[in-house]
């Protein structure tokens, strides 16, 4: 059994129209969301043997901010392939993990992370949280899956069960979508 957690970067700043997508930092709401999710992860007591992440600025800032709240930091393996990757690329990357750690935290982007959940978690009713992901996998969302595999190289579609899903709005309603007047 392996554990895979996915953490989508927090809300990014779009105020500089000239900035490259890769270089966009977090906005204030994103900083608050990353902080809240870091506190949540700390409250679960969950630990990870390895963290792999996209090197995009908004991902790096999400990790930095949430780690402060989490009260834990450890080396990040930066992998540019995660940046805007498809589910297929993410699955290949996971299959390549050396050393067969028991638990991995991947921090990255949509639609890849969301699609990875759809590919790994069967749509058979065994993971009711999957229906929440169908609605939306917003920024700063954190998901944990248990994988019925012994080695990362054995990763295949339908091998997971979604056991936790936490969105920023679940922790603080002000971090949810902006409501119309």
């Amino acid at each position: 059994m392996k554990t895979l957690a996915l953490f989508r970067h927090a809300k990014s700043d779009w105020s500089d129209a000239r900035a490259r997508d890769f270089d966009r930092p977090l906005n204030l709401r994103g900083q608050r969301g990353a902080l809240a999710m870091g506190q949540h992860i700390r409250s679960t007591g969950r630990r990870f043997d390895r963290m792999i992440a996209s090197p995009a600025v908004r991902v790096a800032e999400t990790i930095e901010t949430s780690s402060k709240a989490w009260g834990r930091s450890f080396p990040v393996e930066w992998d540019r392939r995660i940046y805007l990757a498809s589910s297929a690329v993410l699955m290949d990357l996971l299959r390549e993990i050396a050393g067969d750690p028991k638990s991995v935290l991947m921090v990255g982007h949509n639609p890849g992370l969301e699609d990875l959940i759809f590919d790994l978690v069967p749509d058979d009713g065994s993971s009711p949280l999957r229906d929440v992901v169908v609605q939306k996998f917003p920024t700063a969302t954190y998901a944990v899956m248990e994988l019925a595999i012994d080695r990362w190289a054995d990763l295949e579609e339908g091998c997971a069960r979604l056991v936790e899903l936490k969105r920023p709005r679940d922790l603080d309603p002000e971090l949810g979508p902006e409501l119309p007047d």
Side-chain angles (χ1 to χ4, degrees), residues 33-83:
L35 184 68
M37 203 53 68
Q39 292 167 341
H40 168 73
I41 295 169
R42 181 184 67 215
S43 76
T44 68
R46 195 173 293 277
R47 302 272 188 227
F48 300 99
D49 300 320
R50 180 110 21 108
M51 181 191 295
I52 55 177
S54 161
V57 170
R58 60 192 178 272
V59 172
E61 289 185 1
T62 297
I63 292 169
E64 180 182 351
T65 303
S66 63
S67 292
K68 287 177 187 172
W70 188 358
R72 179 170 167 83
S73 64
F74 48 91
V76 178
E77 296 173 29
W78 304 104
D79 194 319
R80 184 144 183 138
R81 294 177 294 173
I82 297 172
Y83 176 68

Side-chain angles (χ1 to χ4, degrees), residues 145-166:
M145 292 175 281
E146 292 177 347
L147 311 174
I149 58 173
D150 293 322
R151 300 175 317 131
W152 288 100
D154 298 333
L155 185 72
E156 62 184 12
E157 289 188 15
C159 73
R161 190 169 65 89
L162 186 59
V163 296
E164 181 181 350
L165 181 70
K166 195 60 77 173

Side-chain angles (χ1 to χ4, degrees), residues 33-150:
L35 184 68
M37 203 53 68
Q39 292 167 341
H40 168 73
I41 295 169
R42 181 184 67 215
S43 76
T44 68
R46 195 173 293 277
R47 302 272 188 227
F48 300 99
D49 300 320
R50 180 110 21 108
M51 181 191 295
I52 55 177
S54 161
V57 170
R58 60 192 178 272
V59 172
E61 289 185 1
T62 297
I63 292 169
E64 180 182 351
T65 303
S66 63
S67 292
K68 287 177 187 172
W70 188 358
R72 179 170 167 83
S73 64
F74 48 91
V76 178
E77 296 173 29
W78 304 104
D79 194 319
R80 184 144 183 138
R81 294 177 294 173
I82 297 172
Y83 176 68
L84 304 180
S86 67
S87 173
V89 169
L90 296 176
M91 286 180 72
D92 286 344
L93 190 146
L94 290 165
R95 287 183 190 112
E96 295 171 7
I97 291 176
D100 267 329
K102 183 176 177 168
S103 59
V104 171
L105 172 61
M106 178 182 280
V107 189
H109 311 266
N110 253 4
L113 294 181
E114 180 177 304
D115 290 343
L116 184 60
I117 292 171
F118 295 145
D119 288 344
L120 293 177
V121 179
D123 187 14
D124 62 3
S126 62
S127 295
L129 292 172
R130 188 182 191 280
D131 293 338
V132 177
V133 178
V134 169
Q135 295 169 16
K136 189 169 184 184
F137 193 76
T139 53
T141 294
Y142 169 76
V144 179
M145 292 175 281
E146 292 177 347
L147 311 174
I149 58 173
D150 293 322

Side-chain angles (χ1 to χ4, degrees), residues 176-181:
E178 295 178 21
L179 301 173
D181 292 333

